[in-house]
Amino acid sequence: MLVEGIKSRPVYHGIAADPRARRHIFVLEGEGARALLEQRPTLTPAMLASTEILYVARGSAGEGHADALSAVGADVAWIAPTVETLLFRLRAMLAVAHMGTRLYIAGTEGFIGKAMQVALDQGMDYSTIPTEHRGSLARRVQCVHCKGVTEDVTMTPFTCSHCGLSLLVRDHYSRRLGAFQGVCVDAEEPGVTPEPEALFL
């Protein structure tokens, strides 16, 4: 059902600390913590002294990532209670960031999209922000009909949580919204929908 080769589909190349950066901000969700923990041996004391970690444990409760991140030795390791709180702090940090600050984002696609939105709102260029997908493949989907956004979509088609339409999840992605596109699957024949498939687990 999904179309190959959609140009707007995000590509995640992975994160690696840039040794030339003056300041590093790692924004991590759930299993995204592993993206930083796995490169710990390459981080020099000077790099760690200029590193801030923002982490939310969503999706990895009990994994011990918060303790492991605190033990990395970064200048700041802050554990957020919610994604919204983390994004609020990120927005404030980027508003006063100086040239030479590098932002790195790792976690689920929905989280990456939300954090990227904050960065774009602060004038950062998306192509300069390394990202790494870790954890669930669940998608953040915007209904093109009512404009409502549904989080953590794992099936296609699925029922829009705002207007109730049966939506096909497309690979078309809006960087501005940080969401994939959902379109009505039975517009031509109301009530005739394919069986839902779990494609984004």
Side-chain angles (χ1 to χ4, degrees):
M1 287 173 87
L2 298 178
V3 179
E4 294 293 324
I6 300 295
K7 291 183 180 178
S8 67
R9 179 77 176 86
V11 177
Y12 307 107
H13 296 289
I15 63 173
D18 180 352
R20 298 163 298 177
R22 293 175 56 198
R23 191 100 185 131
H24 308 273
I25 302 174
F26 287 90
V27 178
L28 312 170
E29 175 215 33
E31 296 306 310
R34 294 186 190 277
L36 174 59
L37 294 172
E38 289 169 6
Q39 61 182 293
R40 172 61 186 94
T42 67
L43 302 175
T44 66
M47 291 169 74
L48 289 171
S50 62
T51 293
E52 295 184 59
I53 300 169
L54 304 183
Y55 175 68
V56 62
R58 184 173 177 265
S60 64
E63 292 279 337
H65 296 319
D67 292 339
L69 288 170
S70 296
V72 164
D75 182 36
V76 175
W78 186 71
I79 312 304
T82 65
V83 171
E84 291 72 25
T85 306
L86 183 147
L87 296 176
F88 182 82
R89 182 163 175 157
L90 174 62
R91 185 172 290 108
M93 291 172 66
L94 294 180
V96 297
H98 298 287
M99 288 294 288
T101 299
R102 289 299 302 262
L103 175 65
Y104 314 86
I105 307 170
T108 61
E109 282 193 305
F111 176 79
I112 292 171
K114 288 179 181 179
M116 188 67 78
Q117 278 183 293
V118 171
L120 297 179
D121 288 347
Q122 294 298 323
M124 295 187 79
D125 181 346
Y126 79 92
S127 66
T128 66
I129 304 170
T131 55
E132 186 165 332
H133 179 265
R134 294 283 183 121
S136 168
L137 297 175
R139 292 184 170 184
R140 184 169 194 259
V141 181
Q142 185 205 40
C143 173
V144 301
H145 309 283
C146 74
K147 307 307 180 193
V149 174
T150 303
E151 303 285 347
D152 300 322
V153 174
T154 59
M155 309 283 285
T156 186
F158 79 101
T159 302
C160 176
S161 60
H162 299 272
C163 67
L165 287 177
S166 184
L167 302 178
L168 174 72
V169 180
R170 303 291 309 277
D171 260 355
H172 289 283
Y173 184 81
S174 168
R175 191 177 298 116
R176 181 179 64 83
L177 300 170
F180 289 90
Q181 182 183 69
V183 296
C184 184
V185 75
D186 60 346
E188 294 180 3
E189 295 183 70
V192 178
T193 61
E195 284 295 314
E197 295 180 76
L199 297 180
F200 320 114
L201 296 175

